[in-house]
């Protein structure tokens, strides 16, 4: 397979949603919605105080529900349409802005805000409504066993078998709006590079993964990424 028709993997983080008005995790003030993500999104925090963690995510839902995709999300949909079946999006984000932009093949490795999982039977409940310790699972009808379908620190990521296959066969790996500090997602660029992919980073600044990227595009992704996508489509057509 030549570089021209190789598969493309895009890894996105909170930075791609920043121009849609959504807070990132490690911006200058270092606090996310006034909490350290490591203090809220942990297995221990949920076991210790599930009401608090449910409330934290319930409170986030209205903002994420009304958020609109920005040009960075939209250009990835254009890229997928230009190369059907060749572009997969691996996202660390729990928002649904890639889907709102019309993207498919979106793999939420850290889960999704509009899903809850039943710890009794594994049922995934799709809902933008509040989930609480009283919520009844629609499949097994047990109450109080629903957890936000969000991967907390200390939990294994979702779709990792799929991710591993994608990283090991892609010819182009694009990272957009992630600080590269949360593992194993921060190591995806290394896997892609070792498998022979060209690696590109889109961020406001150099990140801790700087060494693994062949090319860097500094600036807001809503500006830098659409330009890159247009050039890529022209070059591959
Ligand atoms: C795991 C869900 C195996 C919550 C998230 C002890 C025990 C267990 C594991 C560990 C441990 N110690 C360390 C670990 C590993 C741990 C980890 O990496 N910790 C870090 C803090 C060191 N990882 C895990 O626990 C993972 N699981 O390892 O399982 C295991 C299992 C059991 C026991 C051992 C191992 C689980 C990680 C997932 C955690 N859940 N989210 C929620 O989202 O509400 S992580 C959270 O961070 C989000 O998902 C977020 O996406 C992710 C990464 O953050 P970023 O997206 O990069 O956001 P950030 O703000 O950091 O950066 C934004 C970037 O955008 C910046 O660079 C900025 O410059 C840029 N930017 C801003 N604006 C723009 C822009 N760029 C372009 N344009 C713009 N306009």
């Amino acid at each position: 397979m030549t570089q021209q028709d190789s598969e493309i993997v895009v890894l996105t983080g909170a930075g791609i949603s920043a121009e849609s008005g959504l807070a990132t995790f490690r911006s200058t003030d270092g606090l996310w919605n006034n909490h350290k993500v490591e203090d809220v999104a942990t297995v221990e925090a949920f076991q210790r105080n599930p009401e608090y963690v449910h409330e934290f995510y319930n409170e986030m839902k209205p903002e994420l529900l009304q958020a609109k995709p920005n040009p960075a999300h939209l250009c990835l949909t254009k890229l997928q349409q230009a190369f059907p079946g060749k572009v997969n999006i691996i996202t660390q984000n729990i928002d649904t802005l890639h889907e709102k932009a019309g993207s498919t093949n979106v793999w939420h490795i850290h889960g999704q805000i509009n899903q809850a999982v039943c710890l009794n039977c594994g049922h995934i409940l799709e809902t933008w409504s509040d989930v609480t310790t009283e919520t009844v699972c629609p499949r097994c009808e047990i109450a109080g066993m629903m957890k936000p379908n969000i991967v907390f620190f200390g939990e294994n990521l979702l779709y990792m078998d799929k991710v591993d296959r994608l990283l090991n066969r892609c010819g182009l790996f694009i990272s957009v709006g992630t600080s590269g500090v949360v593992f194993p997602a921060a190591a995806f660029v290394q896997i892609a590079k070792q498998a022979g992919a060209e690696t590109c980073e889109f961020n406001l600044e150099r990140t801790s993964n700087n060494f693994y990227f062949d090319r860097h595009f500094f600036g807001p992704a809503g500006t830098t990424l659409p330009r890159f996508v247009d050039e890529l489509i022209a070059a591959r057509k």
Side-chain angles (χ1 to χ4, degrees):
M1 182 187 298
T2 65
Q3 194 74 8
Q4 283 297 82
D5 54 16
S6 61
E7 293 194 21
I8 300 168
V9 168
V10 188
L11 171 68
T12 64
I16 198 172
S17 300
E19 290 161 82
S20 296
L22 299 184
T24 61
F25 290 87
R26 295 164 191 90
S27 47
T28 43
D29 61 11
L31 288 179
W32 160 58
N33 299 349
N34 304 315
H35 297 271
K36 277 231 170 286
V37 65
E38 290 81 10
D39 295 342
V40 175
T42 68
V43 175
E44 295 73 25
F46 186 68
Q47 287 167 338
R48 189 172 58 243
N49 191 345
E51 292 82 1
Y52 173 70
V53 175
H54 274 306
E55 183 190 342
F56 180 75
Y57 287 104
N58 288 338
E59 284 177 359
M60 199 186 293
K61 287 184 175 179
E63 183 189 19
L64 269 60
L65 180 58
Q66 62 76 32
K68 301 279 182 288
N70 66 59
H73 299 102
L74 295 166
C75 76
L76 293 179
T77 303
K78 183 177 173 184
L79 187 64
Q80 289 189 320
Q81 289 164 350
F83 306 115
K86 295 276 190 185
V87 184
N88 279 272
I89 298 171
I90 299 170
T91 187
Q92 300 172 90
N93 299 338
I94 61 174
D95 64 55
T96 56
L97 291 176
H98 285 302
E99 291 85 352
K100 285 182 182 175
S103 286
T104 56
N105 293 330
V106 179
W107 307 98
H108 285 268
I109 53 171
H110 291 169
Q112 284 177 240
I113 188 71
N114 60 323
Q115 291 181 346
V117 58
C118 176
L119 299 176
N120 180 56
C121 74
H123 177 68
I124 300 290
L125 172 64
E126 299 267 349
T127 180
W128 283 98
S129 305
D130 284 2
V131 175
T132 71
T133 50
E134 274 81 53
T135 302
V136 176
C137 173
R139 183 203 285 172
C140 69
E141 299 179 345
I142 299 284
M145 292 295 281
M146 301 306 286
K147 166 188 173 291
N149 192 29
I150 287 169
V151 176
F152 293 149
F153 286 96
E155 288 191 302
N156 287 310
L157 273 56
L158 306 175
Y159 312 113
M160 283 306 281
D161 289 345
K162 175 75 176 178
V163 164
D164 199 49
R165 288 195 298 275
L166 291 173
L167 294 174
N168 279 292
R169 69 180 194 226
C170 73
L172 176 61
F173 179 86
I174 301 168
S175 174
V176 188
T178 181
S179 58
V181 300
V182 174
F183 289 84
F188 290 176
V189 60
Q190 298 170 44
I191 299 170
K193 191 163 183 62
Q194 279 152 13
E198 179 188 10
T199 55
C200 300
E201 181 171 52
F202 291 77
N203 201 302
L204 299 176
E205 59 198 10
R206 281 188 189 284
T207 65
S208 42
N209 265 331
N210 166 66
F211 171 76
Y212 295 102
F213 288 102
D214 302 314
R215 299 172 70 189
H216 298 270
F217 298 83
F218 296 117
T223 304
T224 58
L225 193 58
R227 192 182 307 146
F228 175 83
V229 164
D230 286 345
E231 288 169 9
L232 183 62
I233 291 172
R236 284 194 170 200
K237 279 293 180 194

